[in-house]
Amino acid sequence: MSETKTEQQTTEKTENKKKEVQEEENKEIQIDLDKIHPLLPEIIEKQATINIGTIGHVSHGKTTVVKAISGVHTIKFRKELIRNITIKLGYANAKIYCCDNKECPRPGCYKSFGSGTPPTVPCPRKDCGGTLRLMRHISFTDCPGHDVLMSTMINGTAVMDAAFLLIAANEPCPQSQSQEHLAAVEIMKLKNIIVLQNKMDLIKKSAGIEHYEQIKKFLKNTTAEGSPIIPISAIKGHNIDVVNEYIVKKIPIPRRNFKSPPRLVVIRSFDINKPGCRIAQLKGGVAGGALLQGILKLNQEIEIRPGIVTNRGGKIKCLAIRSRIVSLRAEQNELKYAVPGGLIGIGTTIDPTLCRGDRLVGKVIGNPNSLPDVYCEIEINYLLLSRLLGVKASEGSKGFTEVENLKRGEKLMVNVGSTSTAGSIISVKNDLAKIGLDTLVCTMVGERVAINRRIKKHWRLIGWGRITRGQKVRITKLRK
Amino acid sequence: MEGPYPTEEEVERCEFQNWYPSFRKCSLKSEMILLSEEFIEYLEDDKHGLFLPDPPNDKKINYSSKFDIDSSDQDEEYIEFWEKVEEEEKKKKKEKEKENENEEEEEFDRKHYCFPQIEEKIEKAIEKFGSVFPKMNWSAPKDALWMNSTGDLKCILPSDIYSVLKGSDLIVFDLNHAFDLCKEKSKNRPEKFYLILRKFYPLIISQEFRCFCKNDSLFAISQRDNSTYFTYLEKKKEHFFELIKKFWNEKIKGKFGSKNYIFDIYITKNDKIFLIDFNIYSRATEPLLFDWDELNEIDLKNNQENKIQFRLTPKDKPIKPNLSMISRLPYDLQEFGNKVSVSEMVDLIKKGKFDVKDEDQDKNEKEKEKENKNEKEKKNEKEKENEKEKENEKEKEKEKEKEKENKKENKNEKENENESENEKENENEIEKEKENESENEKVKK
């Protein structure tokens, strides 16, 4: 009998110890917010903190430039044939290093590698003996990428910290697309622009100089006037080190508010479990997205809004989803905490079925009770375009190009925050409209919306608005 | 578009109503509803935007109050404001009704539709299945799932179905473009359109696969979700491979009719396979983890069963946005930089200071816009005038030049004349001298 008692005691002790160890591991880590900045070595080792958009025509070498710097080939996909669009997934991260040996001549002392490279690398220059030290961790985004564009145009926030404007040297400048790309730069309110004069390997020196002057002229009186113009050959790797140097020296350290409540916008969500696996072995759902502000920490509690929408007793209810972060990732790096920059993957304790098939896309993740309200109805102060964009008067019939007023009962595509939903016009009075949303949206008064109408088999942008008031939905709290 | 090109027959064979009866036993439960031509007209009608059909039996569509509202946190002013607006509208309507005999609700001309029979059938199907997944002859409106409150195609009301059908580009393919894939076509649309309501199942995407067949021979299989890597699939690969081959041999081979076809299947957690759909063997069907050039090149002469290529989505470390998200953007932004005038957008954004305005401010702005327009017109006129002036000047210059040239010519002529006269004179002088000389010589002698 006494034996079993001691046995019991020892098992109790080991159980307790196990619990203690787990509790330690599950404790939310403490961070000194005053010490955080976008160039902190422990951060840039793991995560990109500066977002650079690449703007320019496809054929001018955007993909090649990103590949030359990061070593990553951003993939091309062909979408539905009827629409005949080539969409690129332009996300790639790169680390920029500089040799600590002062003798190592510039610009060759600047090197770039992929995101998984360790923070120090021996300098490849023969007999240098120096060490390449990590200076910047960059996230490249193909611009205007749809989500970047939506978020910028609607939120008015510059998601990009800087931009590469690509212009091919073997084509006359300015091409009409270059004009439009410059306008894109204006829209995104980008101030830090580096112009890359690409494909220098294809032309003679004299032609290159002439083209350079053309570019300068083109940029005059625009946002990009005075921007550095770097002649490069992405495909041959010429002058890429100069680009790296400019990234380090010319792009200012972005301002981030690490103290604001964290807000992550979900762009993907998955259930990673094998179907039919035992409940005990189930792993929580995974979400991925862009952290717009604040910091997310491993093991912290989070809330997702809008949560689960259920139909109970005739009324549709919104249940909050609460969870805990069990893993944080940027690219292939595990993080203890995440700051804004690039895309972050979050492992949670959420019921995986709720995360299946990108179900959480468009929702917002943040600290419990610190997220904006959820609306089922919004009142907007709006402005309509006088005619549809990109449609010239010669195309189509007369009535097509003009934008008609908003109509009661009409169903529109409403882009609010970084999500899209169907909304019905309930009522209109002058430049105010009351819209019933088909999907609940986590948003707040003052946020901008884009309005789109279904015309001639396409969803067309017809105007903009700002949320003035609305009808909130009660969020029922539910522990998950 | 490059090949492969299906025949009209092949395109028709992929219509749900044509293949489902033969494959009912291994497919998911579905109801087929024949759609009236008026319904098709409704789907095509988007002159003024997207509108739902009127509900039958004079029911009215109620947009608000289906959600559980926080009654303690309601904006009283907001509610009152819009109640007033409603009352005003009602008054206006009554006044108009008094004036005219017509009951025109809207200020613009819009055709109203109502489909009591179709709606009844839809409601029956929903009652039978609980919730449904809608599609038409070939396509499901997967690009419009953002319109649905659940973010997927689970529909529980007829209005859910109408919305996604009207808002989808993939449905447009069914309505207008299916036969565009053929090299030669005798028709632009099928004779009949069907609404297919399949019982909604929360399918696990990682268990879906797409199978490619040439000459009635299975030669390629791809994971359906080509943007997500699932660890467990690596271990299951061999097992799934065997299951899929067996299913194809027993249920599909020799039974479909077309030599070349593509079919999608789903494997349940109990290893049972269901046929989801047949797809047209053409570039309009996503090759997923393959490439159409690749598929076209694969030579099946020496193909044995163990040469079937089975591809799973490879491990890709970073998280990236899903391509399907592009459908959540308006066409203009999808084509951004390619067709749309960005400078217009920039102007709008620069103009748009979205503060809450008074009506007066709004009026001022509208007036300003008018002024701007007028100014622009004036500018245009001025420019035209300037151009005319320039042209006039040019002409004048031309004339001047002509004159100059004429003068020059005259001068030249005169000069020439002078010269020739001089020459003549010289000649005369020379002749004279010669004469003199000869005379002198004569004298001497």
Side-chain angles (χ1 to χ4, degrees), chain B residues 226-249:
Chain B
N226 58 337
S227 63
T228 317
Y229 170 75
F230 292 90
T231 326
Y232 81 89
L233 280 179
E234 290 288 339
K235 295 174 197 167
K236 284 269 191 176
K237 193 175 179 184
E238 277 304 309
H239 179 58
F240 281 171
F241 194 28
E242 294 307 313
L243 289 175
I244 296 172
K245 277 190 286 183
K246 188 178 175 204
F247 176 81
W248 173 72
N249 266 308

Side-chain angles (χ1 to χ4, degrees), chain A residues 323-343:
Chain A
S323 179
R324 195 166 60 80
I325 298 181
V326 298
S327 65
L328 268 180
R329 274 189 158 198
E331 293 263 304
Q332 57 264 64
N333 302 319
E334 298 276 346
L335 309 172
K336 287 211 169 128
Y337 61 93
V339 300
L343 293 175

